[in-house]
Amino acid sequence: MFAKIVVALNDLPESQRALRTAIDLARSCNAELATISILGDLPAYTSFSVVVDPGAPAAMMEEQQHRHKEIHEKAANLARERGVHAQGSIVVGKEVRAILQFLREQNADLLVVGLHQHDFYLSRLWSAVYDLAQEATCSVLGVH
């Protein structure tokens, strides 16, 4: 049914539920599993930190990359424990565009995303999920 499954990761619990679902689907379909996270822009307050430490933005970006690598390593370990190989990717860009491009490059059959129920940016979240669902070249599964 599905040959290539992609799951979008971040450090929120909903993302971990999506990961477990994607692993189970990959195992049952004997599909490849890819994990993706988006390395976004640094927060606006970063511009103030330059006054105190000109190297602060680079250090913050490095820390962000480190956190993303850890997320993918944990995901790969969980998948391995369940008999699935997962390949992680960190991409730079705007959430929806970066994910859509990744889906095309990977020839994905399914995108699994965690639905964040208690997000203060709920309207932005649903807008992103809607855009993904409308423009994705594959099916999209939202996991609560």
Side-chain angles (χ1 to χ4, degrees):
M1 174 177 235
F2 299 114
K4 181 71 174 239
I5 298 172
V6 173
V7 60
L9 295 181
N10 59 30
D11 56 357
L12 297 174
E14 294 85 355
S15 173
Q16 295 306 303
R17 287 195 296 271
L19 172 63
R20 289 189 298 277
T21 298
I23 290 170
D24 291 343
L25 281 170
R27 186 178 59 222
S28 67
C29 296
N30 197 27
E32 292 179 50
L33 180 63
T35 60
I36 180 176
S37 64
I38 309 301
L39 191 61
D41 295 331
L42 291 173
Y45 64 78
T46 305
S47 60
F48 297 115
S49 68
V50 174
V51 174
V52 177
D53 179 6
M60 293 169 105
M61 187 60 79
E62 187 175 312
E63 174 59 28
Q64 194 178 51
Q65 287 176 326
H66 179 72
R67 280 196 335 269
H68 282 263
K69 286 179 184 176
E70 284 181 342
I71 289 169
H72 288 285
E73 288 172 5
K74 289 178 182 177
N77 289 337
L78 180 62
R80 192 176 312 108
E81 290 171 5
R82 296 182 178 186
V84 174
H85 173 74
Q87 179 66 42
S89 296
I90 302 169
V91 297
V92 178
K94 300 292 181 191
E95 287 177 339
V96 172
R97 291 287 158 226
I99 292 173
L100 291 172
Q101 180 176 341
F102 186 80
L103 293 173
R104 283 189 297 276
E105 291 170 357
Q106 295 292 312
N107 293 320
D109 300 308
L110 178 66
L111 169 64
V112 182
V113 295
L115 300 177
H116 307 284
Q117 299 171 352
H118 302 290
D119 196 312
F120 289 114
Y121 302 102
L122 193 58
S123 62
R124 185 181 68 79
L125 167 72
W126 283 110
S127 174
V129 170
Y130 180 79
D131 288 345
L132 281 170
Q134 291 299 309
E135 297 184 44
T137 55
C138 63
S139 298
V140 178
L141 173 63
V143 177
H144 281 279

